[in-house]
Amino acid sequence: MGQTTESPAGPRKNYFCVQALRAVAAALVVVHHSISLWLKWIMNRPNAPHWTNGAAGVDIFFVISGFVMAISLPGLAGKPNKAGVFLRRRFTRIVPLYWAAITLTLAQIKLNPAAALASVLTPWRIAASYLFIPARNGNGEMFPLVTVGWTLNYEVFFYLLFAAALALNVSPLAFLTPVLTAVALVGMVRPATWPDFTTLASPMVIEFLYGMVLAHLATRRKLPGTAWAALLLGGGFVTLMLMPPSPAPWGFLAWGLPAAAMVVGAVALEGQLGGRLPKWLLAAGDASYALYLTHNFLLPHVGNALKKLHVTGTPALAAAIVLGLGISFPAAVLVHRYVEKPLLNLFKKRRESAEKIEIGEPRVAPVLVEEV
């Protein structure tokens, strides 16, 4: 088996294996929703037992997020207002496309009032969706108007805590280890009667911490060797696909640990695999955020087409997955190229101008495929 190395060293500039893993995580989420669509639209059994492990793509995303935020800290070196710079950069990265998706959802509901049955279009529900605050829909579920945005509520919560560490000028890992642990413990005992926003106290936040610990090890080159890394990546994936869903609140162990193992393996294998990955896979990783936000706009059209063609049973399931992936990924690449990137560039120019005025120097180049 390979050896771990312990000599201190700076982080890599790019982690292409992590970028590819983003594409895998997004694809798993699409598969999960394609199966749900098949049950609801084709089988008329939306609550029937089924394979839900595709939802574990979210766990992979959370670990990656913690890793990216921590590994990119050198990009904030020397900034007098690190917390403000950090939050502006995160706003630039996630908010414009998400707000565009929410606005599109509102437009769809206005054009098709029947779609609003579970949406609860009160002013508070709309505002909460835009502001990343948990609020219930008409079915009592804690989903924003763009349902997949529930994960972004946790992301933003994590960013705010990370920014607090920067504002206090303390190590984010040293600060967030006890804070996220305490938040997770509160989540384990939180009564259902507490206000909606307290659902942010969830054991899932520990998965961000997994990624931060990995970044700490990566910057010190304390990573597994090639053989162990391959075992972690492959074994983590197989475990994630086979592990039954764990009852709350233990998902951060049942799915979180295998997800973390996959990210550890991907980071450790960067030197061996990073330069060999196909461009289409990296392009899919680039578009993974667009895919995550847009695929649920497209999947209902797949369901409609299958119903009109009278495709049923297992063939319909296979078609739902293949068409779901086959339509969602190309659409996401187009959205990334012609919507997300122009929005990013627009907000980035404004942000960079503000940083130059505030900091008096040009921004530092990104450490990873996405900057903090």
Side-chain angles (χ1 to χ4, degrees):
M1 292 293 182
Q3 301 288 321
T4 58
T5 58
E6 301 187 3
S7 57
R12 289 177 173 272
K13 192 169 185 178
N14 288 297
Y15 286 86
F16 296 112
C17 289
V18 173
Q19 190 71 346
L21 200 54
R22 278 192 174 115
V24 173
L28 288 174
V29 174
V30 174
V31 169
H32 171 61
H33 289 149
S34 296
I35 295 172
S36 298
L37 173 140
W38 170 72
L39 285 170
K40 180 178 179 180
W41 289 66
I42 307 302
M43 305 303 293
N44 294 316
R45 298 172 57 200
N47 298 317
H50 62 285
W51 184 79
T52 61
N53 294 51
V58 169
D59 301 82
I60 299 173
F61 276 130
F62 280 6
V63 178
I64 290 176
S65 182
F67 173 76
V68 171
M69 296 306 103
I71 203 72
S72 301
L73 275 176
L76 297 173
K79 304 295 189 292
N81 181 19
K82 293 180 182 179
V85 173
F86 171 78
L87 289 176
R88 278 198 297 268
R89 291 181 177 182
R90 298 320 303 157
F91 177 96
T92 300
R93 180 66 185 91
I94 72 165
V95 171
L97 189 62
Y98 182 55
W99 281 4
I102 292 175
T103 304
L104 178 59
T105 300
L106 285 171
Q108 284 187 330
I109 292 173
K110 291 296 184 182
L111 293 173
N112 180 21
L117 292 178
S119 296
V120 188
L121 285 185
T122 61
W124 166 242
R125 179 84 196 296
I126 295 171
S129 294
Y130 279 107
L131 296 176
F132 302 95
I133 300 173
R136 297 181 188 276
N137 64 11
N139 295 325
E141 301 161 322
M142 209 66 68
F143 290 133
L145 291 175
V146 176
T147 55
V148 295
W150 70 269
T151 65
L152 297 181
N153 293 342
Y154 289 97
E155 288 275 357
V156 170
F157 180 50
F158 170 58
Y159 298 157
L160 291 174
L161 293 176
F162 199 97
L166 296 176
L168 295 171
N169 200 30
V170 297
S171 162
L173 180 59
F175 177 77
L176 287 176
T177 296
V179 170
L180 290 179
T181 300
V183 168
L185 290 174
V186 171
M188 289 183 174
V189 298
R190 185 189 72 87
T193 55
W194 282 15
D196 291 348
F197 74 88
T198 63
T199 57
L200 292 172
S202 165
M204 283 191 75
V205 299
I206 293 295
E207 295 172 0
F208 295 116
L209 191 58
Y210 293 160
M212 294 183 68
V213 171
L214 172 58
H216 177 80
L217 297 175
T219 56
R220 288 156 178 77
R221 295 293 190 263
K222 294 182 179 179
L223 293 171
T226 302
W228 277 110
L231 181 62
L232 286 169
L233 180 60
F237 179 77
V238 171
T239 302
L240 208 56
M241 296 301 93
L242 298 179
M243 178 70 69
S246 177
W250 303 107
F252 76 100
L253 295 176
W255 284 358
L257 287 178
M262 291 179 66
V263 183
V264 171
V267 171
L269 290 172
E270 182 61 34
Q272 291 75 25
L273 297 180
R276 303 178 183 179
L277 294 171
K279 291 183 178 180
W280 63 264
L281 183 58
L282 296 178
D286 286 338
S288 59
Y289 183 54
L291 175 69
Y292 188 71
L293 290 180
T294 61
H295 71 279
N296 274 338
F297 289 100
L298 301 172
L299 291 183
H301 298 289
V302 173
N304 270 328
L306 294 176
K307 288 184 73 172
K308 289 180 179 179
L309 294 172
H310 303 290
V311 182
T312 59
T314 303
L317 173 60
I321 294 173
V322 172
L323 290 175
L325 292 170
I327 293 173
S328 296
F329 264 105
V333 170
L334 293 175
V335 170
H336 172 68
R337 183 176 301 173
Y338 296 111
V339 179
E340 184 179 14
K341 289 183 72 174
L343 285 173
L344 287 174
N345 290 334
L346 174 64
F347 281 88
K348 184 181 291 186
K349 288 178 181 178
R350 296 181 178 180
R351 189 201 73 206
E352 287 177 351
S353 297
E355 287 184 17
K356 287 179 181 178
I357 293 172
E358 178 180 318
I359 302 170
E361 63 182 43
R363 63 186 283 276
V364 176
V367 178
L368 194 65
V369 285
E370 105 177 73
E371 61 184 347
V372 294

